[in-house]
């Protein structure tokens, strides 16, 4: 699968993830302060993002190791969006309903690069290995030898 295809799939997952985040954020905003709502909605949507990106974007098997590393893919996103939400709401007096949507766009390219690096790297040392990608399985089924990632 090409990087271009992965980028398109990543963007689709991002749209779904943003919708999930925003729905959770609005639901929680009725009950909690906006920063707490943002953090909880972010954590819930990040979990969904891990599974969608593993299976759909990169076609890899989710592992505990990658699940535990996945928050690193969102660290920059979290800092950018949290700082952005605070600045837009408290400093620039934007609506707390729309501030997260504005800040989300700035973090997307960084998140793609880091997620691709972490999720496509083979697990090492723990005896656990990634299952073949769907493309590799199709090649094996057709009698072709799958390529080795990272070579």
């Amino acid at each position: 699968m090409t990087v271009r295809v992965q980028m398109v799939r990543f963007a689709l997952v991002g749209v779904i993830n943003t919708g999930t985040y925003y729905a959770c954020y609005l639901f929680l905003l009725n009950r909690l302060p906006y920063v707490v709502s943002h953090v909880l909605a972010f954590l819930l949507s990040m979990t969904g993002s891990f599974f969608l990106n593993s299976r759909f974007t990169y076609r890899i098997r989710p592992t505990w190791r990658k699940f535990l590393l996945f928050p690193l893919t969102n660290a920059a996103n979290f800092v950018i969006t949290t700082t952005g939400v605070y600045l837009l709401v408290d400093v620039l007096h934007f609506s707390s309903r729309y501030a997260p949507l504005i800040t989300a766009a700035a973090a997307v390219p960084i998140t793609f690069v880091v997620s691709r690096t972490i999720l496509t790297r083979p697990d090492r040392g723990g005896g656990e290995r990634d299952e073949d990608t769907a493309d590799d399985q199709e090649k094996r089924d057709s009698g072709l030898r799958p390529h080795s990632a990272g070579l």
Side-chain angles (χ1 to χ4, degrees):
M1 178 179 348
T2 68
V3 173
R4 175 176 274 155
V5 170
Q6 289 177 343
M7 287 171 55
V8 168
R9 288 175 179 222
F10 185 81
L12 290 172
V13 169
V15 168
I16 293 167
N17 191 50
T18 301
T20 302
Y21 160 80
Y22 195 53
C24 290
Y25 175 77
L26 291 177
F27 175 78
L28 294 168
L29 187 60
N30 292 324
R31 292 152 183 83
L32 301 167
Y34 76 89
V35 172
V36 175
S37 298
H38 165 70
V39 170
L40 292 174
F42 190 92
L43 292 172
L44 289 168
S45 65
M46 184 174 61
T47 300
S49 178
F50 168 74
F51 289 105
L52 285 172
N53 277 307
S54 293
R55 288 297 192 180
F56 179 68
T57 303
Y58 304 112
R59 297 197 177 200
I60 54 109
R61 179 177 53 91
T63 64
W64 279 108
R65 181 177 187 277
K66 289 180 181 182
F67 181 75
L68 295 174
L69 289 173
F70 190 74
L72 295 175
T73 70
N74 287 292
N77 183 309
F78 183 79
V79 170
I80 291 166
T81 59
T82 303
T83 302
V85 165
Y86 168 77
L87 291 173
L88 288 175
V89 173
D90 283 351
V91 176
L92 299 174
H93 308 292
F94 276 62
S95 168
S96 61
R97 291 189 169 278
Y98 304 111
L101 297 176
I102 296 167
T103 61
V108 171
I110 295 167
T111 305
F112 173 75
V113 170
V114 178
S115 74
R116 187 172 192 276
T117 301
I118 287 176
L119 291 178
T120 61
R121 179 184 304 157
D123 286 338
R124 303 230 187 258
E128 190 174 9
R129 72 173 192 85
D130 283 9
E131 109 186 348
D132 292 334
T133 65
D135 292 339
D136 290 344
Q137 187 61 44
E138 287 173 18
K139 289 177 185 175
R140 180 175 283 108
D141 291 345
S142 68
L144 300 174
R145 184 174 179 259
H147 70 282
S148 291
L151 292 181

